[in-house]
Amino acid sequence: MYWTRFIAFLIALYVASLFNVQVPKNVNEQFKYRMLCASRKFVGHACSIHGLLYPGVLSYVQCRRSLVGGRHEGSAESFAPTVKLRRESFDGVKVNIYLPPSVGQSDLLPGFIYLHGGGLAFGDVGIYDGMTRQISEQLNAVVISIAYRRTPENIFPVPYEDSLRAARWFLQNSDQYGVDPRRVAIGGDSAGGYLSAVVSQAIHDEAETPDFRLQVLIYPWTQMLDFKTPSYQQHPDDYLTTGAMAWYTALHLFGENISPQIMNTLATNNHTSDEFRNSAIFREALSHSLVPPDMRPPATYTPPSEGDSVSEFGVHLWAESKDILMDPTACPILRADMSGLPTAYIVTVEVDPLRDDGIMYAKRLEQAGVDVTWRHYENGFHGIWWRGPWFIFEDGREIFREMIDFVKPRL
């Protein structure tokens, strides 16, 4: 009896520790947010224990995928029961194709290419099945959800190249699916926002491929060069943490060959060179002045200092990774000429270290004359757009509805 009570006490103590989460005051549905954070902590603990038996970065990633993975095609039909799902490959890349009831009936339909989030390591087309079904239904559009290969098994530039190949093939063969190639949008959230931005840039540069009508970027990840933007400083430890972004960056750059030293160097913003920080492109593309002053409050924001220096290991890391980090297909915010890119709809949320990635990218596009609509949600957090069919937030629904209201008349 004593041991039963003692074990029950330990279990209760552990559950209480899972729910011991600092909830941002401006986030609505706070208990649901706490549940979301608790579930993430539990998965992390379970996979850490799994790592004792099966050590290694890839083992940990695969454990998380298996616990939160996307065997949800079909189970999400309740979100849009009239939309049909087909699975094909476009130029060797697996895709889910979502067809509204009206496809093939008369006129050509619009299309929407979706790229899922998950830090390039997690998330999949199954987890996003409910979301992509709704996009197809609400826009009366054929939606293509691209199953790009993920890190750490496939490092840069594989996720980008898969996404580009599939998008290009669809644009060049859209008539096979009853889609007008002049009425296709591309969009995604977080890492999918990054992929949408770079694919949009690449397609724009291809004279033989129809350009996108719109790009829809939901709290996009647009750079890996500055982990001390105002939003990184303000929100280092919320649902998406600075440490997590350093880890995703390391997986993207180095795959399984990462270490705590690499991640700490990234997270402390010690991975570039003094010369690069003083370069014209850094000062133009990543200037903190692009972020509105009220989003740089002195209480939480410290401007860059001329005296900041890079450690010896940081110099080594920069030498090893600079060719990737300075490549616009890795950091789309560095593209020199943004003029002529498709109309952009960019969403940022307040509780998000990537908030300023989206803001700065929007400002860069505006400066180049691109038509940009920027929507900022004070009550939002990174992940609110879609966390699979298990956690649906009302503020996330609002973001979705307003995106549809913007896209539908323009597509």
Side-chain angles (χ1 to χ4, degrees), residues 41-110:
K41 287 167 70 174
F42 174 77
V43 169
H45 294 162
C47 291
S48 295
I49 294 171
H50 175 270
L52 298 176
L53 299 174
Y54 305 97
V57 172
L58 181 57
S59 174
Y60 179 83
V61 169
Q62 290 174 335
C63 175
R64 280 187 56 178
R65 288 176 185 166
S66 67
L67 291 178
V68 194
R71 295 174 292 276
H72 302 286
E73 291 103 335
S75 65
E77 286 182 358
S78 59
F79 288 98
T82 61
V83 172
K84 304 301 181 184
L85 167 63
R86 283 166 47 184
R87 299 180 182 87
E88 294 187 16
S89 292
F90 290 174
D91 196 14
V93 180
K94 294 179 179 180
V95 299
N96 276 9
I97 305 171
Y98 297 91
L99 304 168
S102 59
V103 69
Q105 291 182 2
S106 55
D107 296 336
L108 294 177
L109 295 178

Side-chain angles (χ1 to χ4, degrees), residues 29 32 35-36 39 67-80 98 116 123-134 189 239 383-394 397:
E29 297 182 274
K32 189 180 290 186
M35 285 280 293
L36 177 63
S39 67
L67 291 178
V68 194
R71 295 174 292 276
H72 302 286
E73 291 103 335
S75 65
E77 286 182 358
S78 59
F79 288 98
Y98 297 91
H116 66 78
D124 55 43
V125 295
I127 289 176
Y128 279 77
D129 185 63
M131 170 59 68
T132 42
R133 285 177 183 274
Q134 290 178 85
D189 62 298
Y239 183 72
I384 198 171
W385 165 258
W386 185 254
R387 297 305 308 166
W390 325 280
F391 291 100
I392 306 296
F393 288 82
E394 285 305 314
R397 291 180 186 272

Side-chain angles (χ1 to χ4, degrees), residues 151-152 155 221 224 227 243-259 262-264 266 317:
T151 64
I155 63 173
W221 178 18
M224 299 179 285
F227 288 83
M245 286 311 305
W247 190 60
Y248 291 137
T249 298
L251 293 180
H252 194 198
L253 296 175
F254 307 113
E256 297 180 65
N257 301 314
I258 61 176
S259 66
I262 288 176
M263 289 183 286
N264 182 66
L266 291 167
L317 193 63

Side-chain angles (χ1 to χ4, degrees), residues 226 229-230 280-291 296 301 304 333 356 360 363-364:
D226 188 359
T229 62
I281 186 62
F282 185 89
R283 292 181 178 276
E284 177 183 351
L286 291 160
S287 171
H288 293 185
S289 64
L290 295 171
V291 179
R296 294 180 271 131
Y301 170 61
I333 204 167
D356 297 344
M360 292 190 292
K363 295 296 184 183
R364 292 269 289 144

Side-chain angles (χ1 to χ4, degrees), residues 11 14 33 56 96 127 144 252 298 345:
I11 292 173
Y14 175 66
Y33 178 88
N96 276 9
I127 289 176
I144 309 299
H252 194 198
Y345 183 82

Side-chain angles (χ1 to χ4, degrees), residues 111-116 135 139 142-144 146 160 163-168 170-171 183-189 192-204 210-218 342-346 403 407 411:
F112 196 110
I113 294 174
Y114 196 85
L115 291 151
H116 66 78
I135 294 174
L139 294 179
V142 174
V143 172
I144 309 299
I146 298 177
Y160 157 66
S163 303
L164 177 59
R165 286 207 318 275
R168 179 193 294 123
F170 179 67
L171 288 167
R183 299 170 61 202
V184 178
I186 188 169
D189 62 298
Y194 146 67
L195 291 171
S196 298
V198 290
V199 170
S200 181
Q201 292 179 3
I203 292 295
H204 176 71
D211 211 347
F212 290 110
R213 177 74 67 89
L214 299 168
Q215 53 180 320
V216 178
L217 312 180
I218 311 297
T343 295
Y345 183 82
I346 298 179
M403 181 277 289
V407 171
L411 201 57

